[in-house]
Amino acid sequence: MERRKFIKNSSLSAAGLVSASTLAACKTDTKPEVAPASTIPVQTAVKPIVVCTWNFFNATEKAWEVLKSGGNALDAVEQGVRVEEADETNETVGKGGRPDRDGNVTLDACIMDKDGNCGSVVCMQNIVHPVSVARKVMEETPHIILAGKGAEKFAYEQGFKKEDLFTESTRKQYEEWLKTSKYETTINIENHDTIGMLAIDDNGDIAGACTTSGMAYKVAGRVGDSPIIGAGLFIDNEVGGATATGVGEEVIRTVGSFLIVELMRQGKSPQEACEEGVKRIMKKNEGRKDFQIGFLAINKNGETGGYCVHPGFTYREYSENGHENREVTSFYE
Ligand code: SD4
């Protein structure tokens, strides 16, 4: 067939396809089919409730205050993780986060609400509260992710102040590190501080946030899983939410948090879903033991669960039932 005729024919048939599908949609007048989350009762059994990765007492306390006074889950998670961003002793989040190998402190964060709205900033410098910039991206722009200098410029436009994110301690550590400049992509197994937080408010609505400075001494420009929707965080208000901590590259390769929420949609408990998530990662890394990953999940009922590669990952939970730091089971003993 001549090329011109072919193009004409194919555009005609494409037009045919469109009108056929439009017709079909008109006829049935139904919403697109999605697998129902029917195994999860709509009523939230435990609410309000907040959970976060690791033992961040003050952050969950702050989120709980918001929830307890009738605030929504989105405000709760933003206010909660901001506590860690401002805490200079937490050296993998916000101010006091460790720098990349070139000496830049670059932050990643994201936030997601009950309607699937989300915002994210990646590789942003000089701003203490990337989670709040991420929320502004979500609410004030038609975009989802802003990166680097663009994110920083946007933050200033939104009224955020420029601040040096180094502390005396992180500057000293960096100078020490420069002596050998040993670059390892693995994260020390015991010590992670990235905060991922999930909350359900009085209305039964779910939101989540995640914020980090990422891996210490990473290659300049590196972005991990934490600000990537679906990897470091995912919320589906019909089902639940999930968040991750640990070596982000492995979480991204498995689209970890989205995977866990989908597994819950299919009927798994948060615990079972987190276990399956870690097992998928370990299947791709058979025999590898030099990295840690921790998943945390909550379902619409307020049931929670977590699982990790190596022992040591905990999550903090706060609801009317109590306030506790829970140790989770792990793939390796
Ligand atoms: C990252 N997932 O940038 C983060 C690091 C982390 O505790 O969780 N640290 O890959």
Side-chain angles (χ1 to χ4, degrees):
M1 199 187 308
E2 281 169 56
R3 188 165 176 273
R4 271 185 56 201
K5 246 191 207 161
F6 172 77
I7 290 169
K8 206 172 154 206
N9 284 347
S10 46
S11 58
L12 270 177
S13 56
L17 272 178
V18 169
S19 55
S21 61
T22 310
L23 259 180
C26 290
K27 263 190 214 152
T28 54
D29 195 27
T30 52
K31 286 185 177 169
E33 255 181 54
V34 254
S38 55
T39 46
I40 300 161
V42 177
Q43 199 62 32
T44 302
V46 182
K47 65 176 182 178
I49 181 171
V50 57
V51 285
C52 77
T53 55
W54 310 107
N55 188 16
F56 293 121
F57 182 91
N58 295 336
T60 42
E61 181 99 353
K62 181 73 205 176
W64 179 250
E65 258 174 53
V66 175
L67 293 170
K68 206 50 219 309
S69 58
N72 65 40
L74 189 68
D75 289 336
V77 294
E78 182 191 3
Q79 292 301 318
V81 303
R82 277 174 64 100
V83 171
E84 286 311 309
E85 290 179 336
D87 180 356
E88 298 183 14
T89 63
N90 181 335
E91 296 187 336
T92 62
V93 180
K95 187 166 171 83
R98 293 193 197 92
D100 66 23
R101 60 188 324 184
D102 295 351
N104 311 298
V105 183
T106 63
L107 305 181
D108 298 334
C110 71
I111 193 160
M112 189 162 191
D113 76 6
K114 65 181 172 58
D115 298 315
N117 298 312
C118 44
S120 158
V121 290
V122 306
C123 214
M124 185 178 69
Q125 292 177 252
N126 300 316
I127 307 285
V128 177
H129 291 298
V131 73
S132 296
V133 184
R135 184 165 176 177
K136 290 285 186 196
V137 174
M138 173 173 95
E139 291 176 343
E140 307 295 334
T141 81
H143 309 304
I144 290 177
I145 305 178
L146 292 185
K149 287 289 163 217
E152 195 180 334
K153 179 170 171 271
F154 170 74
Y156 298 139
E157 284 163 9
Q158 293 292 321
F160 291 82
K161 297 273 166 300
K162 181 170 184 163
E163 202 168 315
D164 182 3
L165 299 179
F166 263 115
T167 59
E168 217 183 293
S169 160
T170 52
R171 198 176 291 282
K172 258 196 204 142
Q173 289 175 51
Y174 176 59
E175 278 158 13
E176 204 48 43
W177 177 82
L178 278 177
K179 291 179 187 163
T180 54
S181 298
K182 191 161 174 256
Y183 180 60
E184 285 173 341
T185 54
T186 53
I187 288 184
N188 158 323
I189 283 162
E190 292 80 30
N191 185 19
H192 304 253
D193 294 321
T194 291
I195 183 165
M197 184 175 272
L198 310 165
I200 305 182
D201 59 28
D202 255 340
N203 285 332
D205 289 326
I206 312 172
C210 190
T211 178
T212 189
S213 56
M215 283 183 189
Y217 317 130
K218 60 197 173 187
V219 171
R222 180 261 183 191
V223 173
D225 61 315
S226 304
I228 307 297
I229 299 296
L233 177 76
F234 194 71
I235 302 295
D236 181 332
N237 207 38
E238 283 185 1
V239 178
T243 188
T245 181
V247 177
E249 280 71 4
E250 295 307 327
V251 178
I252 293 171
R253 290 212 292 154
T254 316
V255 199
S257 293
F258 179 75
L259 170 66
I260 284 165
V261 172
E262 278 307 295
L263 289 167
M264 291 195 289
R265 177 183 280 283
Q266 289 162 26
K268 288 204 188 306
S269 69
Q271 182 61 37
E272 290 165 345
C274 289
E275 288 179 18
E276 175 71 18
V278 168
K279 284 174 189 161
R280 296 268 180 107
I281 289 175
M282 297 320 291
K283 201 170 171 194
K284 286 178 182 162
N285 288 282
E286 237 179 293
R288 221 186 122 190
K289 289 193 169 177
D290 62 349
F291 68 101
Q292 172 69 308
I293 283 169
F295 281 123
L296 167 61
I298 193 166
N299 69 10
K300 196 73 179 162
N301 268 341
E303 292 161 338
T304 64
Y307 195 67
C308 55
V309 177
H310 294 278
F313 174 52
T314 65
Y315 68 91
R316 184 157 273 279
E317 178 170 319
Y318 205 149
S319 73
E320 291 288 4
N321 297 339
H323 193 191
E324 61 175 323
N325 183 40
R326 297 193 171 174
E327 206 153 301
V328 310
T329 48
S330 53
F331 186 83
Y332 291 117
E333 291 294 303

